[in-house]
Amino acid sequence: MTEEETGEHVPLEADLERLEEIVRLLESDSPELDQALALFEEGVARLRQARHRLAQAEIKVQRVLEQADGTLHLEEIRDPSE
């Protein structure tokens, strides 16, 4: 189950480990078609969730500001709710 389905916070590492497990299971000869489809759907959901979380983390950690002289400056972005 994904974080969205359970409502619980799942560490990104756990999602990535589950994605690796799903890939291994799909690459094996054992899954039935229904099981393979369910694994694929779960994998897609976890991948979307991981991409979203990584994008949010990137935005939160740094923002690129272009200075008047054209140089780039990296600035940490703080979450106002923290």
Side-chain angles (χ1 to χ4, degrees), residues 22-64:
I22 288 169
V23 169
R24 282 193 300 274
L25 290 168
L26 288 173
E27 289 177 342
S28 73
D29 293 333
S30 60
E32 298 283 330
L33 179 59
D34 289 340
Q35 181 189 17
L37 287 173
L39 288 168
F40 181 76
E41 288 175 358
E42 179 186 350
V44 168
R46 285 183 183 270
L47 182 59
R48 284 185 182 142
Q49 182 175 318
R51 283 184 177 166
H52 175 74
R53 290 169 68 180
L54 287 171
Q56 293 300 312
E58 184 177 2
I59 290 169
K60 187 175 181 180
V61 171
Q62 58 183 250
R63 150 179 77 179
V64 177

